[in-house]
Amino acid sequence: MSDLAAAFAHAGAPVTLRNFPAASYRVTRERIREFALAVHDFHPAHWRDSAAAALGFPALIAPPTFGSVILTQAQREILDSLVPGYDPDRILHADQVLDPVRPLVAGDRLTCRAYFESFRHFAAYDVLAIKTVLTDQRGAVVQTGSTALLARTGDGAPGPARQATLNPVRPATLARPVSLRMPRTTVDFDALTVGSELPAQVIDLTRTDLNRYSRVLGGPADRPAVIAPGMLKLGLAAGYLSAWSGDPSAVLRFRAQFAHYTHGLRIPVDTPCPIEFRGRITSKDPRRRKATVALDARAEGRRLFGYAAAEMRFPGAAL
């Protein structure tokens, strides 16, 4: 039995977790810019108040995946609370869903609630499904998400699957809120058709970017980053979409399955790793003014996502 499985067994069933993290997180202009730089997101609304105001926001807005800073901290606290000293290098990020309600804005003070949805153990892996809810200083939900993590146990021997019994999360707590803000995209929605291709973009990822991203997430300063994590890849993809659409707040949902053979995507020490991003419209809803964009990202001919897509809303949608 793995350490994590043993912790669940010791806790008994059902398992209930408190809110993580206990302290609130303040979104500042400096943190927004640091994160935007780390994910190569140069949309003006992340850098200039005037550009954010043009989109209808009172201050700088954070890139769409900025919430991963808080979510990563919550996941660390969850694992540390069950198994102190749990090795983060044994964690593989398998699947991520993000549902932004509105962009995070400089001045926001956020609280994260995190819950286990399920836990299973089989063969050499613990499989954890975690649900998260970010609320602002007024108690309003600003983002929800679901994360699937694979934790290597170090025991490769096949064995029966084991599952912990968890207290169910109240559906009302995790309901997907609806944004009432009208997007201000620059893309002509009526000109889009199923199969329309987005322009390709190449981003050169460096070791400096990895270390910068690690620092933003509160990673250890004495251990240089060498592998691009899944949420960094998703952050790059989100910036690609923002540059195309003209409005970072147009995305209603991100979904990504990280390809297993790219978990070990190592970035060279002295040379950048070019990553090419492409997108394609896979569905369109003219009445709701919504479209789904399938995302493709490749480095050295390898796909960075097993599957990735974004649901987007365009001007003219009924509120």
Side-chain angles (χ1 to χ4, degrees):
M1 180 182 293
S2 71
D3 292 342
L4 194 54
F8 271 96
H10 177 73
V15 176
T16 302
L17 295 177
R18 66 179 186 274
N19 295 344
F20 293 91
S24 61
Y25 181 95
R26 184 172 179 81
V27 181
T28 66
R29 298 161 58 89
E30 292 75 18
R31 285 173 170 170
I32 287 174
R33 288 171 173 157
E34 288 173 359
F35 187 89
L37 184 60
V39 297
H40 286 245
D41 193 339
F42 300 105
H43 190 284
H46 308 319
W47 298 88
R48 300 197 306 270
D49 289 326
S50 58
L55 292 178
F57 296 99
L60 291 185
I61 63 175
T65 63
F66 182 89
S68 62
V69 176
I70 304 106
L71 303 185
T72 299
Q73 293 178 5
Q75 291 165 13
R76 288 172 182 163
E77 290 191 29
I78 286 175
L79 293 174
D80 286 344
S81 71
L82 291 172
V83 184
Y86 200 77
D87 185 358
D89 290 337
R90 291 159 55 190
I91 303 293
L92 297 179
H93 194 167
D95 185 275
Q96 182 67 57
V97 177
L98 290 178
D99 293 314
V101 179
R102 67 161 175 84
L104 306 179
V105 179
D108 275 338
R109 189 172 292 278
L110 305 173
T111 300
C112 177
R113 287 173 290 161
Y115 313 83
F116 274 110
E117 282 192 300
S118 65
F119 169 83
R120 291 191 304 140
H121 174 77
F122 67 92
Y125 288 95
D126 293 327
V127 184
L128 303 87
I130 299 173
K131 195 82 174 182
T132 52
V133 181
L134 291 182
T135 55
D136 65 14
Q137 57 275 16
R138 293 175 293 276
V141 175
V142 294
Q143 180 179 290
T144 64
S146 297
T147 305
L149 302 176
L150 300 179
R152 293 192 191 96
T153 65
D155 178 11
R162 291 184 291 272
Q163 183 167 348
T165 303
L166 308 180
N167 277 342
V169 179
R170 293 172 296 173
T173 302
L174 299 179
R176 184 178 175 187
V178 178
S179 173
L180 299 179
R181 177 186 172 275
M182 184 67 67
R184 302 183 184 182
T185 58
T186 56
V187 172
D188 183 358
F189 176 78
D190 296 317
L192 296 177
T193 61
V194 173
S196 293
E197 300 280 346
L198 279 60
Q201 180 184 358
V202 175
I203 295 175
D204 289 330
L205 195 65
T206 67
R207 282 283 184 92
T208 299
D209 296 322
L210 298 192
N211 290 321
R212 182 180 290 122
Y213 186 79
S214 178
R215 288 195 300 271
V216 170
L217 266 63
D222 59 346
R223 187 169 60 180
V226 297
I227 297 175
M231 287 307 296
L232 171 56
K233 301 168 193 173
L234 190 59
L236 296 171
Y240 164 68
L241 276 182
S242 296
W244 170 72
S245 70
D247 186 348
S249 69
V251 173
L252 299 173
R253 165 169 282 193
F254 284 108
R255 172 72 186 273
Q257 296 172 345
F258 301 107
H260 69 278
Y261 45 79
T262 61
H263 280 298
L265 178 62
R266 291 180 176 272
I267 306 302
V269 175
D270 300 321
T271 58
C273 177
I275 301 176
E276 183 180 54
F277 289 88
R278 293 181 178 271
R280 180 172 57 89
I281 305 298
T282 57
S283 68
K284 181 179 177 181
D285 186 338
R287 186 174 68 85
R288 294 184 174 87
R289 308 286 287 184
K290 295 180 181 179
T292 300
V293 180
L295 296 165
D296 182 76
R298 296 177 187 250
E300 301 175 346
R302 297 181 298 173
R303 297 174 62 188
L304 300 193
F305 303 114
Y307 169 82
E311 296 177 18
M312 305 186 69
R313 193 160 60 102
F314 295 82
L319 298 179

